[in-house]
Each structure stands twice: as structure tokens, then as C-alpha cells.
Amino acid sequence: MNKLKKKITLAKGKWEELQDNKDPVIYVGAASCGRAAGALELVDEIERYISENKVNARVIQVGCIGPCYLEPLVDIKMPGQPRISYSNVNTKVLGHILKSHLLEGQPFARASIGNFSRETFMDIPPLFEHPMLKPQVRIVLRNCGIIDPEEIDHYLATDGYQGFMNALKMTPEDVIGAVRQAGLRGRGGAGFPTFKKWTVCRNSPGEQKYLICNADEGDPGAFMNRSLIESDPHAVLEGMLIAGYAIGASKGIVYIRAEYPLAIERLKKAIAQMKEYGLLGNNILGSRFSFDIKIKEGAGAFVCGEETALIASIEGKRGMPRSRPPFPAISGLFGCPTIINNVETLGTLPNILRNGAEWYTRFGKEGNRGTKTFSLVGKIRRSGLIEVQLGTTLREIIFDIGGGVQKNFKAIQTGGPSGGCLSEEFLDLPVDYESLASAGSIMGSGGLIVMDEDTCVVDVAKYFLDFTQKESCGKCIPCRVGTKHMVEILERITHGEGNPEDLMTLRNLGDTIKKGALCGLGQTAPNPVLTTLRYFRNEYLEHIKDGRCRAVVCKDLIEYRVIKEKCTGCQSCVRVCPTGAISGPRSEPHNLDPTKCIKCRSCYEICRFDAIAGDAIVIRTAEKRS
Amino acid sequence: MSEKMRSIFEKYERSPDQLIPILQEVQREYGYVSPESVKMISRYLRVTENQIYGVSSFYAQFRFTPPGRHSIKVCLGTACHVRGGATLLEMLERELDIKCGQTTADRRFDLDRVACLGCCALSPVVQIDKEISSRMTVTKLSELLKKYE
Ligand SMILES: Cc1cc2nc3c(=O)[nH]c(=O)nc-3n(C[C@H](O)[C@H](O)[C@H](O)COP(=O)(O)O)c2cc1C
């Protein structure tokens, strides 16, 4: 313990030096999303600039602070000034920013979105007053985008591992009691009270117990867990120590999907640092608690997020779920008592143990305590990773934080492929486990996909079902055969070949699969279809009766047209058309032969982006069937 | 047995739960899981070849034919879907004249779909080798392909 205390004192000193910097510090948001937006090129460019201009500055790669739509983000902290954040930085703007701020000491206000202090600084408002950040309550994400995720010292200096040290001073039963009092429910989807399964596991006989961190995050459209691991890996690992101590496990495993290479790399580094600091191994910090953490990479199967399938996968088998009981808490990995917790559940624990259970209950509401992270994506103005108190309404999330929808709002899908698609009348629904369930959806892991009038809900329902059908492991018949059948019906409807009885068949099939499937994958797979049938029945009927797709998405129900009055005859579309469907001499309106058109979008894109051509090509829904 | 395989085995215990990590490393080294490597893994772990094929074919990650020079992965996550990911995949299937999951005859490209790359705010995205390109359009993608030989 004393050795670590010394390290903490050193870490705090290092951190203060960074806040009281003598030389400029430049922070670049370089999580996966930042990198996809070009963050690493910016790092190279900054390093080159610094050495060329002989400036004594430090460059630090941080994780993701959340507003992905503003990426890449670069912050500059000059000595004696607050850290100032710049958004949508490209190499050209970067040149201006560096010249003005780094060389001349004058913040480049035009590209900045805020400063890290509480007050306005040289006309730049506080970052956390930004409309996307202000309504958020950042507990799990408190360090994300702020500290260097590869520096255990940064984590220690921001009170990291304090929660674990507090836990070590308590009995495991008291730790479980604190988690119970805090009201923490599992963030992996089902919202099962964490203390309950811990208690079962703690009381199960067995020398060897396991704690597994579920970082499989297979929901398409969700990236909260990836972002947390990439931006603050120690928070999750500290949570594993606390959970391991509480349930009496000596081995921890992080099961993480292979599609997340950067998160895996960060975890490996963080685990090595923990070993160096004496936070893993035998008799940690002089206590009787011994713990080790290993990483297991997933191999690309959504169903392996389900706990019994996950266990089968770690054991080297096909990742197929089995029926429960016995629950993993009694008989799990290699037959030993095993607890599986989600990344975010674990990332919440250090905060509860550091600040106390009572503190945690101040957030959220009765029965739904604390905060939840969401990835807010789709047709939303301000997309990104957010954290709000449970009980916040969908309206606050979409309009206050997300800044509203690009066109007219149509629907929001919560819970990914296992969740439901909710219409406008649900905008004032509080986001908590029970309210979402009563609307036919689920909380799920936290993907929120916003749709506007250009999104076809039938197409989206088909998309989700097609996903779960492909990911079905094939073990139980309702899921294997039932989902396939539902996809086929939806295919027909989107091709304009449906009939009115299809809607009844879909509902019956959906209800049967929900009741009969073996695991959560099948039991929730029909949700997107059932909810859209309930809330958007008219759109289904339009596809079936009128052969119309009002969102202009379903390919068989739309057509491409040249608007003669607008077409200048520039021939751009003639050149890109892969099937020779467009013809016509230069400077004269072109012809589009619908029998040759494969609706590939090439002409539409080129027409919209070509200043000469304007927008003479339109995609529209086909004429009403007679 | 090849030197490479031996050095892979040295890192893993002779225990059936090591099967997936071994397969993953074999694929990292060779680009795919060949019949020969399956034989060797079978001998090392003392599990049947059938079992190994049973496990490896369950997981989307493993491939059983040599990869092309570049791998294209079109993200079909939800956010990418609502912003036109499927159109990108169709365009690639047409331009490269292969179906998703196949390799071009000149071995220039592999074409695959991926459930989600987790860059949803920048959708639609396409990954070519290690590089992720965001906010893709049919036209931009067609240009981008030219960079790869
Ligand atoms: C098909 C399917 C996929 C799942 N995927 C995940 C996942 O990616 N991450 C996760 O934490 N939980 C996932 N779960 C839920 C887990 O089975 C389990 O309930 C959860 O990890 C428990 O952790 P918690 O109590 O901390 O929420 C999935 C469940 C099902 C049925």
C-alpha cells in the first residue's frame, strides 16, 4: 500500500505540472473514431510543425470526449491559459491554429468550441457549457478525452484506484452491500441488479471463481464500450478488481471483439502497468486478495455476447448458448462460479466505491439509479457518445443534446437489433429500463439510432432482422427457422410483393419466436418488427397496397428521373453511369432509360456535387399502383 | 512441422480452450487457416480435425482460402445502413465483379462486410486494409480504389 501511495504522490505531481505547464501542451483526440477522421495525420503534422519552428511543446494523444461530429478535435494548452479545444480540424485549419495560438499566443477563436475552465476566456466559452455537453452527467466517462489513456499516472492522479483501495478496507460482503445500496443495474442490456448475481456467486461453493468483462459489444451502431476502453482503460480494470474482490474471484478475463484492435492494445498496456504498480498478482497491496487479468479476443459472432455462448467460446467451442439454469454464477466457465459484467457496469464501480453508494443514488431515479452512456447516431445533427442520468427523456437526448434531426424526426431505435423502434409520441418517454420495456423496446447496451423522413422503417426492420437471422447460432428452431421466415416476408414487402395477410403472419411469428427461443438473441429478435408494425403500420400498408416507399429507400419501389428543365447536358452522369442507361448529346437534356437503370446512385451523387449540373437527377417514389 | 507453426505452439498450452487463440494467430501469420495447419493443430491439441473445422467455421473471423492483396470491408452497421452502406457494397460487387466474401481473380481485393466498426458518427465507412475512410459515397469510393494495386 505504501509503495502505491508514493507512486500516487509522484503521479499527482506530474499531473499538476501538466495543468501548470511551463511549455505548451497539445492534446489530440485519437480514439478509433478520431483516427477515422484523420487524427493521426494531424499528430504527424503537429510534430513536424513543432520541430520546424523549434517550439518546446508536448503532444499527447487522448481518447474521445464524445462529440464525434466535431472530430478531429485538437486542444492546445498554453502556459498560464486554459486548455482550448478546436473542432473539425484539418491540415489547413491546423496551420492557422498553430501559427496563431502556438507561435503568437493568440487563440484561434474562429475554430474553437470551448475552453476547459469554468469561465469564458478571450471570448471562448467554457467547453462544458457546449449544448451537447451541458445536459450530460459524466461519471463513467469522466476521464474520457481528458487524460492520456496510456498513462496510469494520469489515472492515479485523478483519484484512480481510490475506489479499489476503499474496497480493500471493507469486507467483500460490505462491497456487495454498497453496490446494492447504490442500486446499480447491469449496463449490458437486461438491467439485472448487479449485487444479486454477485451474492449468488459469492455464496457458491468452489475454490476457483472467475470474473469476465463482457466487451463483445456486437450491437451494430453502438460503440460506448469501445470508446470507454480506448479512452480510460484503467477505469474498467479497476472495476474488475473491485468485482473480483467482492465475488471472491482470483482470475479475470476480458472478452473483447477482435474488431477493436486499438482497445485491445490499450488494455494490454494498462494491464502491464497494473503489474508494474503492484495492482495485479498475489496479495495485492499487502492484502489477502490475489487477482490476475487476461485478454481473450472474440472471433466475430454476435451471439457470443450472450453469457453462456461467451463462456463456450472461451472454452474453445462453438459459441452456442445453453439453457439456464444452472446460471453462470453457480456453474460457468469450466464449471466454476462465474460472473459476467458489462464494460460500463465495471467502469461505474470505481466511482461508487470512491464517492460512496449514497452519492451515486443522487443520480437517476428510484429503481433506475445512476447514469447510462449512449451512442447517439443516425440522422442526428450532433452525433457522438453521451452519458445522461437514467430517466432523461428521449426528447432531451435527441433535441437538447443531439441538436435535433436533419429533416423531420420519424423514429428512434433503442437497444439495437434487440430493441424497438419508437415513434414521435414517445419522445417524452423517460429513458429507464421499465419505461422502454413498456413501450415494447429495451434499454439494451445503449445504441440510439435516430431516423428521419428519409429512413424507411420497413427497411430498417428488415435490416435488423436480417442481422439477427444471420447471427442466429442455429441451435433452437424458433430462432433459426422463424427469423428466416420473417426476413423472407419482409423481403417480399420491400420488393412490393407483399399482401395484407403478411402483417398478421409477421406478428404471429414474432410472438412465437419471443416465447420459444432459447436465448436473448431470439427472444428479442422480433422487437424491431413488432414495434414498427405497431407504430408505423401505415408504412407497411403503403408498401403492400400502393407499392410505395415514402422514404424513397426500397429500391424496387423507386425510380430515377432526369428533370429536363434543370439538366444542362454536361454529360457527367453519362460518364459515371455503369450500365449506359443515360444518353444524350452535350448541352442537351439527357435521357435516362429506366429499363437499364440499376439505381446505383452514381448519377445522383455526381449531379448534386457538380456545380454545373445542379440537381437535375432526382430519386422519387414510384407512381401509385392502379 | 514448419518453424513458424512450432513457434506458435510454443506460446500456447496444450489445452482445448487454446484452440481459438491458436487459430487466430495462425490466421494472423498466414492470412488464412489452411488444411495443413488444421492437421498440425489437431495433432498438437489432440482434438479432431472435424472439431477444429466445426469451431472455426462457426466464427466469421476465420477464412479458409488465401487472402487477396488488399482487404475491403464495408461497414453495414445500423448507422452506416441508414446512410447508404448497402449501396456502397453493391457498387463494389459490381465494379470488382465478385460477391461479398469473395476475392477478385487477380487477387487484388477481398470484399467483405463487417457488422460494425464503431465509427458510427462518421458513417458510412469503408475499411481498406487498416485505413478507415469516413462519410463515403459511391463516387469517392470508386476514386479511392485506384490507390490500391
Ligand atoms: C445476443 C446477445 C448479445 C449480447 N451482447 C452483449 C454485449 O455485447 N455486451 C454485454 O455486455 N452484454 C451483452 N449481452 C448481455 C449478456 O448476456 C449479459 O447479460 C451481460 O453481459 C451481463 O452484464 P451486466 O449484468 O453487467 O449487464 C448480450 C446478450 C445477448 C442475448
Side-chain angles (χ1 to χ4, degrees), chain A residues 186-190 192 197 214 216-218 225 302-303 305-307 340-343 345 519-521:
Chain A
R187 300 293 189 238
F192 193 77
K197 58 185 197 187
N214 189 345
D216 198 40
E217 197 166 56
N225 293 172
F302 172 64
V303 71
E306 195 280 338
E307 44 189 29
I340 295 159
N341 272 133
N342 169 259
V343 170
T345 314
C519 83
L521 189 142

Side-chain angles (χ1 to χ4, degrees), chain A residues 33 68 220-221 223 226 257 296-300 313 315 317-319 377-378 383 459 463-464 555 598 600 602 605, chain B residues 17 20 24 54-55 58-61 76-78 81-83 87 90 94 113 115-116 118 120-122 137-139:
Chain A
C33 40
C68 305
F223 54 88
R226 167 184 68 69
R257 59 196 295 245
K296 281 268 185 182
E297 284 180 39
S313 174
E315 290 172 349
K317 302 177 188 147
R318 289 165 73 92
V377 297
S383 53
D459 174 72
Y463 163 80
F464 280 121
K555 253 179 132 181
I598 54 167
C600 70
S602 305
E605 277 176 11
Chain B
D17 65 301
I20 294 172
Q24 283 170 328
V55 170
F58 182 85
Y59 297 96
Q61 187 183 23
L76 292 183
T78 320
H81 176 80
V82 300
R83 286 175 180 271
T87 314
E90 273 168 32
R94 197 175 57 244
R113 50 186 285 167
C116 188
C120 310
L122 305 164
T137 62
V138 173
T139 344

Side-chain angles (χ1 to χ4, degrees), chain B residues 4-67:
Chain B
K4 233 195 232 168
M5 284 299 277
R6 207 192 314 270
S7 71
I8 291 177
F9 290 149
E10 266 165 21
K11 286 189 243 170
Y12 297 92
E13 280 170 59
R14 194 188 288 270
S15 157
D17 65 301
Q18 298 301 311
L19 174 58
I20 294 172
I22 291 177
L23 284 166
Q24 283 170 328
E25 182 140 359
V26 166
Q27 178 148 316
R28 249 195 309 272
E29 279 294 320
Y30 295 90
Y32 73 114
V33 179
S34 67
E36 296 74 45
S37 46
V38 171
K39 276 203 184 81
M40 285 185 250
I41 298 171
S42 160
R43 240 171 281 146
Y44 178 70
L45 286 182
R46 302 197 179 110
V47 292
T48 67
E49 287 180 44
N50 278 352
Q51 263 172 312
I52 298 177
Y53 282 114
V55 170
S56 52
S57 62
F58 182 85
Y59 297 96
Q61 187 183 23
F62 300 113
R63 52 178 301 147
F64 304 95
T65 51

Side-chain angles (χ1 to χ4, degrees), chain A residues 2-276:
Chain A
N2 281 334
K3 213 174 101 198
L4 188 70
K5 289 233 166 86
K6 261 187 217 138
K7 296 249 192 214
I8 294 175
T9 314
L10 284 175
K12 292 214 155 143
K14 243 167 104 176
W15 180 246
E16 255 152 46
E17 246 179 70
L18 203 58
Q19 310 312 308
D20 250 341
N21 54 330
K22 302 269 175 303
D23 294 313
V25 187
I26 303 172
Y27 302 82
V28 181
S32 291
C33 40
R35 291 182 178 199
L40 291 186
E41 284 102 87
L42 295 180
V43 171
D44 290 344
E45 186 59 26
I46 294 168
E47 307 250 350
R48 199 190 54 79
Y49 194 92
I50 292 174
S51 78
E52 209 164 77
N53 290 284
K54 305 204 171 50
V55 188
N56 225 349
R58 250 182 94 181
V59 183
I60 297 178
Q61 292 188 27
V62 292
C64 172
I65 201 164
C68 305
Y69 77 108
L70 293 174
E71 264 169 328
L73 289 158
V74 174
D75 309 342
I76 298 184
K77 183 168 181 343
M78 297 297 284
Q81 286 187 1
R83 183 167 155 183
I84 289 171
S85 208
Y86 296 98
S87 69
N88 297 112
V89 181
N90 54 31
T91 39
K92 197 165 145 231
V93 181
L94 182 70
H96 294 304
I97 297 171
L98 292 175
K99 178 163 180 290
S100 165
H101 201 170
L102 192 67
L103 296 188
E104 293 157 10
Q106 188 66 29
F108 191 67
R110 204 146 44 91
S112 77
I113 47 160
N115 82 73
F116 274 67
S117 79
R118 294 228 173 97
E119 280 116 48
T120 300
F121 175 79
M122 298 178 81
D123 291 338
I124 299 168
L127 180 65
F128 288 94
E129 294 286 317
H130 184 280
M132 183 169 188
L133 293 168
K134 193 170 180 201
Q136 297 190 38
V137 177
R138 298 169 73 88
I139 294 177
V140 180
L141 302 180
R142 67 188 184 104
N143 285 328
C144 295
I146 295 173
I147 66 167
D148 182 344
E150 300 196 355
E151 275 267 10
I152 189 172
D153 283 344
H154 283 195
Y155 186 67
L156 283 173
T158 49
D159 297 324
Y161 292 105
Q162 192 60 54
F164 171 60
M165 286 185 271
N166 292 348
L168 278 187
K169 289 186 211 129
M170 299 155 70
T171 64
E173 285 75 13
D174 286 345
V175 174
I176 297 178
V179 171
R180 173 182 196 159
Q181 196 203 335
L184 180 64
R185 298 171 65 171
R187 300 293 189 238
F192 193 77
T194 304
F195 87 90
K196 268 197 191 159
K197 58 185 197 187
W198 283 14
T199 308
V200 174
C201 184
R202 168 110 214 132
N203 295 335
S204 295
E207 277 296 292
Q208 180 68 59
K209 290 176 188 172
Y210 290 96
L211 174 83
I212 299 174
C213 167
N214 189 345
D216 198 40
E217 197 166 56
D219 276 19
F223 54 88
M224 306 79 47
N225 293 172
R226 167 184 68 69
S227 208
L228 178 59
I229 295 175
E230 284 178 359
S231 306
D232 197 13
H234 284 287
V236 180
L237 296 169
E238 183 184 355
M240 289 183 74
L241 284 176
I242 295 168
Y245 176 72
I247 63 171
S250 59
K251 285 194 176 147
I253 296 171
V254 185
Y255 185 85
I256 182 164
R257 59 196 295 245
E259 289 89 338
Y260 286 173
L262 182 63
I264 295 171
E265 190 188 310
R266 295 247 154 105
L267 278 174
K268 282 187 180 152
K269 278 195 187 141
I271 290 171
Q273 290 165 348
M274 287 173 82
K275 288 192 175 139
E276 190 191 321

Side-chain angles (χ1 to χ4, degrees), chain A residues 320-355:
Chain A
M320 308 232 251
R322 61 161 173 78
S323 56
R324 300 172 298 181
F327 286 91
I330 292 166
S331 173
L333 187 59
F334 305 117
C336 302
T338 303
I339 284 295
I340 295 159
N341 272 133
N342 169 259
V343 170
E344 186 180 339
T345 314
L346 294 166
T348 305
L349 293 171
N351 300 292
I352 295 176
L353 271 294
R354 187 178 66 246
N355 298 321

